[in-house]
């Protein structure tokens, strides 16, 4: 069973699509959000959750005080599960979009984002993830101090961060690797 770890919906269960997704474990979400809250990027944040699956990461952010969360997934089944989770949790600051992550970041100018969460299926090629990161590197996509999180298999190569970004941290949790990065302060738009 997948549950929200903390915040206004803490302890509440999440529905998960029957196939095709790999929800981030509670242990990883707890550690990740502890770090993100320490960096002060969750409360009142505009959050983009790409490859949302069940929406566990974005819904965790909403539960912990994000101002707005957009969940994006290309699977109709995953989007329906996300919408149901949003309704059942009563998290009114969440919107759900049916789209491919790589198209959404190129076509939808709803930025700037304070926090971007990428948890693609492990079989998504690294080049696709790197292309999404490059699309996020356009100055108007992220706020100053924004954080981008990439979750991948421990066997995957590290993300290729766009020019002007700095890696902040990397941590392995069993078979899961989590990287945090963002625009370097000197390159952050004013």
């Amino acid at each position: 069973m997948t549950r929200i770890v903390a915040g206004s919906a803490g302890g509440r269960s999440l529905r998960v699509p029957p196939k095709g997704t790999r929800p981030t474990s509670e242990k990883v979400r707890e550690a990740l959000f502890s770090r993100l809250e320490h960096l002060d990027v969750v409360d009142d944040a505009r959050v983009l959750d790409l490859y949302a699956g069940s929406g566990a990461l974005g819904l965790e952010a909403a539960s912990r005080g994000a101002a707005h969360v957009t969940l994006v997934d290309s699977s109709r089944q995953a989007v329906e599960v996300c919408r149901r989770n949003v309704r059942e949790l009563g998290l009114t600051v969440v919107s759900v979009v049916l789209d491919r992550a790589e198209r959404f970041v190129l076509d939808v100018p709803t930025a700037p984002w304070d926090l971007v969460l990428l948890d693609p299926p492990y079989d998504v090629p690294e080049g696709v993830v790197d292309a999404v990161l490059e699309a996020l590197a356009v100055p108007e996509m992220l706020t100053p101090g924004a954080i981008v999180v990439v979750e991948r298999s421990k066997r995957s190569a590290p993300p290729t961060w766009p020019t002007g970004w700095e890696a902040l941290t990397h941590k392995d949790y069993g078979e899961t690797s989590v990287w945090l990065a963002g625009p370097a302060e000197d390159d952050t738009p004013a």
Side-chain angles (χ1 to χ4, degrees):
M1 173 173 35
T2 301
R3 295 177 303 165
I4 297 291
V5 176
S8 64
R12 306 264 313 272
S13 295
L14 292 173
R15 295 181 186 276
V16 176
K19 61 181 181 176
T21 63
R22 171 198 36 75
T24 302
S25 75
E26 287 179 42
K27 173 186 171 188
V28 173
R29 273 186 289 122
E30 185 171 16
L32 171 61
F33 277 90
S34 175
R35 179 71 177 145
L36 292 172
E37 286 176 328
H38 176 75
L39 294 170
D40 197 27
V41 293
V42 178
D43 196 38
D44 288 327
R46 286 183 41 85
V47 179
L48 176 60
D49 182 355
L50 298 170
Y51 308 98
S54 67
L57 288 173
L59 296 172
E60 188 74 44
S63 178
R64 292 173 183 244
H68 181 77
V69 176
T70 300
L71 306 175
V72 179
D73 203 284
S74 62
S75 161
R76 288 189 188 284
Q77 190 173 45
V79 164
E80 286 309 312
V81 167
C82 285
R83 287 181 177 142
R84 192 164 177 188
N85 282 334
V86 169
R87 276 192 312 272
E88 290 177 356
L89 295 173
L91 295 170
T92 59
V93 299
V94 181
S95 60
V96 182
V97 177
L98 175 65
D99 203 351
R100 287 181 19 248
E102 49 276 21
R103 184 170 51 216
F104 182 85
V105 296
L106 291 173
D107 294 346
V108 182
T110 56
W113 307 102
D114 301 301
L115 175 61
V116 180
L117 307 161
L118 284 89
D119 182 14
Y122 286 167
D123 63 352
V124 169
E126 287 144 13
V128 171
V129 174
D130 292 343
V132 170
L133 293 172
E134 280 298 327
L136 290 169
V138 175
E140 58 272 8
M141 289 294 283
L142 301 174
T143 60
I147 301 291
V148 176
V149 177
V150 176
E151 181 180 330
R152 299 287 280 164
S153 164
K154 193 164 96 174
R155 293 181 293 273
S156 298
T160 302
W161 301 116
T163 301
W165 284 24
E166 63 180 329
L168 301 173
T169 188
H170 166 248
K171 182 90 171 146
D172 289 334
Y173 304 92
E175 286 301 310
T176 301
S177 283
V178 177
W179 290 272
L180 276 68
E185 278 204 30
D186 294 338
D187 296 331
T188 303

